[in-house]
């Protein structure tokens, strides 16, 4: 018993630096945000309003639009990123080491590049008159698309940008996950006459569940928190069609100085992400060992 | 246990995980704030932080003013911090919330007055000799009878024109001569004359991507007889029949293809500093402040030189025009440190003395605001034309409580009107309702 307590002590001792930082910069701000969300708190004012900020948000047309946009963004980014990176990794894993390294580097490049620079590059790509995107479409005889001005396509344009820097990490993780699956499983299935699709569906995919869980959860959280691309490309427009919760939170806090309302948005966003993550844990959790 | 771990994991991930995609966060450093006073103003050492705007042609003047003041006041050190104008409201908001405000600031006059009502600015009426400034200018920078910004460079915008484009189309006669006023019909005829979408050239450059340059839209609507604010500046009234007619007319210019494609997503900077500068726009909103940037680009070879001019904004009856006062000035933040605030006021007075203002006025983009320094600019010089435009200036509402917030609510409504999600009437009604809510909230 004493031995167990001793081991646990040293376990906690070694993670203490992380726990302290986590408590100071994550837990405390989160609890403080909950507290502040109960006030009309801004420059020169701090008045108790209880759940007034939450009531205001749930009746605010722009905030409701931002929830809708955020969900659409997540629903667009997560499946496409996960599907694309899984498909690509499944192909590349069978290529030579040099080819695999090339793809790893290519996919990871957007992650180590500043999102500001990438967003500005996309601003040029989406330029309605001189952008590459419309030039490419013109070669196919398709008229110019107002990527950042037409509210029916702007969110799609944003999703495409976010995906470009969302696939790098899943690709690397899937490459590692696929590399960890023993070849003997596939060989045994082949002897039994399983098709490549059957092997992928019944062996590879289930064994990748832990990897998929991690990727889906982290990509979802990242997509929920999309901010830079919105700020630099669309400013939330046109007509609030790309305003996400995170962007509205930033505007409310730092443009309008309404910190209480922004804190309430942050709390609601955290609740939404937690709910999504719980669902994902429920569906993707497994005790795979191999 | 597994369930508990799952909940804990989800919560931890949701509040603490730095995900591999999406956010990246705002990597901007928090604004650099004022240093701690190392003593009082009474003979002891004081360090003042002076944020200045980023206009390149003014930096040497700012450095010289700092040096002169430090020489004259050995106990005082001025920490000069060049602060980009971009996102300045957010920078200030962060600085306020982290108690990192500068002591003195030199910048655009368009947004600080919002903070006067909150007691964050120091009254400066005693810091200047008011008789040397235009009363109207000082009034527009005052709140509740107190002056909060010392103006040192004021300009009045109008309609910038690419003369070469009009000359190429033999259409220069369509433009007003000698700063004469003109009608919207004449304006549209001129825009049509140079409009050539196949060549990527558009008659009128407008935009609604963000708040930048949104004054141009107000000017446009004012030309139809609309007012943005009530006479007593207590509420928004832009949804008048005149305002609706103006917004309908502006939308019709977009519908007729006289503007660049994608107006709802275009930003003023892209239209003025890129498209107009590259000779793709016949006419757009602008002022003397833009000319310096154009001339610099021409000199550096980053844009092909062309002749430009500025004319008054059109109006419905063509008998008058509209403009407003834009510009730069100095203000002092209420840092609650009496010694530093006193020293800061003294420095603000010094920075706006005749001698200091003369240094600023050496920059081509500056027209000094002291009456005693009014130079005899040639009538046809950009400065001379700017002075004529200033005669049409109306109050854009800088002292309205929550003015910056009302601007943030304005461009989404323009976008809604331009993309036909709302009629002009609905868009203006919605903005007026929001603006009045903002005013009520900020006037508390």
């Amino acid at each position: 018993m004493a031995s167990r307590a001793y081991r646990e002590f040293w376990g906690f001792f070694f993670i203490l630096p992380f726990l302290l930082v986590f408590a100071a910069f994550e837990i405390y701000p989160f609890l403080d945000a909950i507290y502040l969300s109960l006030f009309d708190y801004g420059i020169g004012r701090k008045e108790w309003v209880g759940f007034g900020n939450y009531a205001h948000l749930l009746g605010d047309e722009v905030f409701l639009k931002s929830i809708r946009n955020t969900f659409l963004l997540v629903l667009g980014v997560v499946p496409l990123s996960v599907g694309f990176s899984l498909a690509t990794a499944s192909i590349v894993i069978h290529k030579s080491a040099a080819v695999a390294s090339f793809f790893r580097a290519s996919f990871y490049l957007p992650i180590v590049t500043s999102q500001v620079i990438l967003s500005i590059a996309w601003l040029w790509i989406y330029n309605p008159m001189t952008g590459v995107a419309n030039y490419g479409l013109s070669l196919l005889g398709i008229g110019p698309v107002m990527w950042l001005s037409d509210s029916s396509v702007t969110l799609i344009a944003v999703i495409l940008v976010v995906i470009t820097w969302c696939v790098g990490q899943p690709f690397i993780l899937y490459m590692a996950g696929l590399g960890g699956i023993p070849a003997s499983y596939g060989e045994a299935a082949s002897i039994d006459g399983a098709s490549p699709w059957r092997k992928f569906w019944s062996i590879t995919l289930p064994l990748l569940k832990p990897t998929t869980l991690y990727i889906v959860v982290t990509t979802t959280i990242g997509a929920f928190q999309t901010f830079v691309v919105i700020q630099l490309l669309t400013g939330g427009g046109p007509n609030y069609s790309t305003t996400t919760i995170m962007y509205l939170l930033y505007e409310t806090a730092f443009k309008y100085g309404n910190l209480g309302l922004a804190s309430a948005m942050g709390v609601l966003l955290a609740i939404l992400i937690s709910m999504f993550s719980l669902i994902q844990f429920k569906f993707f959790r497994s005790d795979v060992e191999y | 246990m597994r369930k508990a771990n799952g909940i804990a994991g989800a919560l931890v991930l949701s509040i603490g995980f730095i995900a591999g995609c999406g956010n990246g966060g705002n990597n901007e450093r928090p604004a650099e704030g004022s240093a701690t006073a190392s003593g009082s103003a009474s003979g002891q050492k004081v360090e003042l932080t002076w944020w200045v705007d980023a206009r390149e042609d003014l930096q040497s003047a700012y450095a010289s003013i700092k040096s002169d003041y430090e020489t004259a006041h050995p106990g005082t050190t001025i920490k000069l911090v060049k602060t980009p104008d971009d996102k300045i409201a957010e920078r200030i908001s962060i600085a306020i919330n982290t108690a990192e405000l500068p002591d003195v600031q030199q910048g655009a006059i368009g947004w600080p007055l919002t903070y006067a009502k909150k007691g964050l600015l120091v009254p400066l009426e005693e810091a200047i000799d008011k008789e040397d400034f235009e009363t109207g200018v000082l009034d527009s920078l005052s709140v509740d009878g107190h002056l909060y910004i010392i103006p040192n460079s004021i300009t009045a915008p109008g309609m910038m024109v690419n003369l070469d484009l009009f000359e190429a189309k033999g259409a220069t006669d369509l433009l007003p001569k000698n700063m004469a006023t003109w009608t919207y019909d004449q304006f549209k005829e001129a825009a049509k004359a140079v409009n050539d979408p196949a060549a990527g050239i558009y008659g009128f450059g407008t935009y609604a991507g963000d708040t930048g340059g949104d004054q141009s839209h107000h000017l446009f609507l004012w030309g139809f007889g609309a007012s943005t604010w009530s006479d007593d500046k207590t509420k928004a009234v832009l949804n008048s029949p005149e305002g609706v007619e103006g917004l309908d007319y502006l939308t019709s210019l977009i519908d007729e293809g006289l503007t660049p494609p994608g107006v709802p997503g275009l930003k003023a900077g892209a239209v003025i500093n890129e498209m107009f500068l590259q000779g793709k726009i016949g006419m757009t909103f602008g002022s003397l402040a833009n000319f310096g940037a154009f001339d610099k680009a021409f000199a550096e070879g980053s844009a092909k030189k062309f002749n430009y001019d500025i004319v008054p904004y059109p109006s419905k009856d063509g008998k008058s025009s509209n403009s407003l006062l834009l510009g730069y000035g100095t203000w002092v933040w209420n840092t609650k440190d009496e010694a530093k605030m006193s020293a800061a006021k003294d420095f603000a007075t010094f920075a706006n003395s005749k001698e200091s203002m003369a240094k600023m006025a050496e920059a081509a983009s500056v027209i000094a605001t002291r009456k005693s320094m009014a130079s005899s600019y040639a009538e046809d010089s950009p400065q001379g034309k700017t002075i004529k435009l200033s005669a049409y200036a109306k109050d854009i509402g800088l002292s309205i409580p929550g003015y910056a917030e009302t601007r943030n609510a304005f461009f989404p409504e323009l976008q809604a009107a331009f993309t036909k999600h709302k009629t002009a009437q609905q868009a203006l009604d919605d903005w007026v309702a929001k603006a009045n809510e903002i005013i009520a909230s900020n006037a508390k």
Side-chain angles (χ1 to χ4, degrees), chain B residues 221 224-227 237-249 316 424-425 428-429:
Chain B
L221 272 55
F224 284 82
S227 296
V237 293
L238 196 56
N239 58 343
S240 61
E242 294 82 8
V244 173
E245 185 185 2
L247 185 52
D248 273 331
Y249 191 87
K316 191 177 177 185
Q425 183 75 61
L428 292 179
D429 283 349

Side-chain angles (χ1 to χ4, degrees), chain B residues 113-425:
Chain B
L113 289 180
T114 295
Y115 296 107
K117 282 258 182 200
K118 299 177 190 295
L120 287 165
L121 297 182
V122 176
L124 294 172
E125 58 270 16
E126 291 165 7
I128 59 166
D129 40 347
K130 286 197 276 187
E131 62 279 4
D132 203 14
F133 293 82
E134 292 290 348
T135 307
V137 174
L138 295 186
D139 286 348
S140 70
L141 300 175
S142 300
V143 176
D144 298 336
H146 294 291
L147 176 73
Y148 287 99
I149 301 175
I150 305 174
N152 45 43
S153 168
I154 294 291
T155 185
M159 189 75 76
M160 291 192 300
V161 177
N162 181 328
L163 289 175
D164 285 10
L165 285 182
F166 278 89
E167 204 163 302
K169 296 282 185 181
T172 47
D173 287 348
L174 299 176
L175 295 171
K177 300 284 181 296
N178 302 317
M179 298 299 284
T181 52
W182 56 333
T183 66
Y184 279 110
D185 291 339
Q186 291 171 315
F187 164 74
K188 188 187 268 192
E189 194 183 348
K192 281 182 176 173
V194 293
N195 200 53
D196 187 357
I201 294 170
Y202 298 89
F204 177 49
T206 190
Y207 37 77
D210 60 14
T211 55
D214 60 353
Q215 301 94 342
S216 67
H217 305 303
H218 291 276
L219 288 192
F220 208 95
L221 272 55
W222 293 354
F224 284 82
S227 296
T228 303
W229 312 106
S230 60
D231 290 341
D232 59 1
K233 299 283 182 294
T234 56
K235 59 182 180 181
V237 293
L238 196 56
N239 58 343
S240 61
E242 294 82 8
V244 173
E245 185 185 2
L247 185 52
D248 273 331
Y249 191 87
L250 184 55
T251 308
S252 76
L253 297 177
I254 297 168
D255 295 342
E256 290 176 38
L258 296 174
T259 61
V263 166
L266 277 178
K267 295 181 181 176
V271 171
I272 297 170
N273 301 324
E274 294 171 24
M275 297 177 73
F276 186 80
L277 187 56
Q278 298 301 330
K280 301 290 184 187
I281 298 287
M283 298 177 281
T284 193
F285 173 79
S287 73
L288 184 64
N290 298 111
F291 297 166
F294 295 164
D295 292 340
K296 189 176 176 217
F298 295 153
E300 290 173 350
S302 56
K304 190 179 168 190
K305 189 176 185 317
F306 60 83
N307 291 307
Y308 57 79
D309 198 2
I310 192 162
V311 299
Y313 247 65
S315 63
K316 191 177 177 185
D317 61 10
K319 291 178 182 169
S320 185
S321 180
N322 289 289
S323 188
L324 51 99
L325 295 177
L326 295 175
Y328 290 81
T330 310
W331 58 93
V332 173
W333 288 102
N334 180 356
T335 56
K336 296 190 171 66
D337 182 331
E338 291 298 333
K340 290 187 81 177
M341 281 156 55
S342 172
K345 268 173 84 168
D346 187 59
F347 175 66
T349 303
F350 181 88
N352 290 281
S353 63
K354 279 187 188 176
E355 294 72 21
S356 298
M357 218 179 271
K359 289 182 177 176
M360 294 189 208
E362 286 172 15
S365 64
V366 170
I367 299 178
T369 47
R370 282 182 174 274
K371 288 191 279 190
S372 60
M373 293 174 67
S375 307
S376 51
Y377 295 112
E379 274 202 11
D380 59 348
S381 68
Q383 291 86 350
K385 290 179 177 179
T386 298
I387 290 168
K388 282 187 177 172
L389 287 173
S390 66
Y392 300 117
K394 291 179 180 170
D395 187 354
I396 188 70
L398 303 181
S399 60
I400 297 273
Y403 169 68
E405 239 179 285
T406 66
R407 291 182 67 184
N408 280 315
F410 187 55
F411 73 88
E413 298 302 335
L414 285 179
Q415 293 173 337
F418 293 161
T419 54
K420 305 287 190 293
H421 282 84
K422 290 181 183 176
T423 64
Q425 183 75 61

Side-chain angles (χ1 to χ4, degrees), chain A residues 205-218:
Chain A
L205 214 49
L207 291 177
L208 284 175
K209 247 186 162 183
T211 310
T212 302
L213 171 64
Y214 178 79
I215 288 171
V216 168
V217 171
T218 57

Side-chain angles (χ1 to χ4, degrees), chain A residues 22 26-27 30 40-45 56 62 77 111 115 128-129 146 148-151 162 165-166 169 214 217-219 221-223 225-228 231-235 237-240 246 250-251 253-257 259 270 273-274 277-278 281 285 287, chain B residues 2-3 5-7 9-26 28 87 89-91 93-94 96-97 115 118 120 200 202 209 260-267 275 404-405 408-409 411-413 415-416 419 421-422 434 437 441 444:
Chain A
F22 186 71
E26 303 289 351
I27 300 292
F30 182 66
D40 176 14
Y41 177 43
I43 296 163
R45 66 179 195 279
H56 173 83
V62 176
V77 167
I111 294 176
Q115 289 190 11
M129 286 164 289
M146 299 300 117
L148 304 178
S149 308
D150 180 347
S151 50
V162 175
W165 61 61
C166 266
Q169 190 165 325
Y214 178 79
V217 171
T218 57
T219 308
I221 293 170
Q225 296 177 340
T226 300
F227 170 75
V228 174
Q231 191 190 32
L232 293 176
L233 250 57
T234 68
N239 194 25
Y240 300 111
M246 195 69 184
Y250 166 80
E251 276 203 319
F254 300 116
K255 267 190 182 171
Y256 309 150
L259 301 176
I273 295 176
S274 300
S277 301
L278 273 174
F281 267 81
R285 191 173 181 86
D287 294 317
Chain B
R2 179 194 285 185
K3 190 177 176 186
N5 284 342
I7 293 169
L11 186 64
V12 164
L13 283 170
S14 67
I15 63 173
F17 192 85
I18 305 301
C21 78
N23 180 26
N26 182 2
E28 282 179 25
K87 311 285 181 202
E90 286 97 311
R91 288 174 205 278
S93 179
I94 293 167
I96 291 169
N97 285 300
Y115 296 107
K118 299 177 190 295
L120 287 165
Y202 298 89
V263 166
L266 277 178
K267 295 181 181 176
M275 297 177 73
E405 239 179 285
N408 280 315
F411 73 88
E413 298 302 335
Q415 293 173 337
T419 54
H421 282 84
K422 290 181 183 176
K434 278 183 199 167
E437 262 180 45
S441 165
K444 281 179 190 170

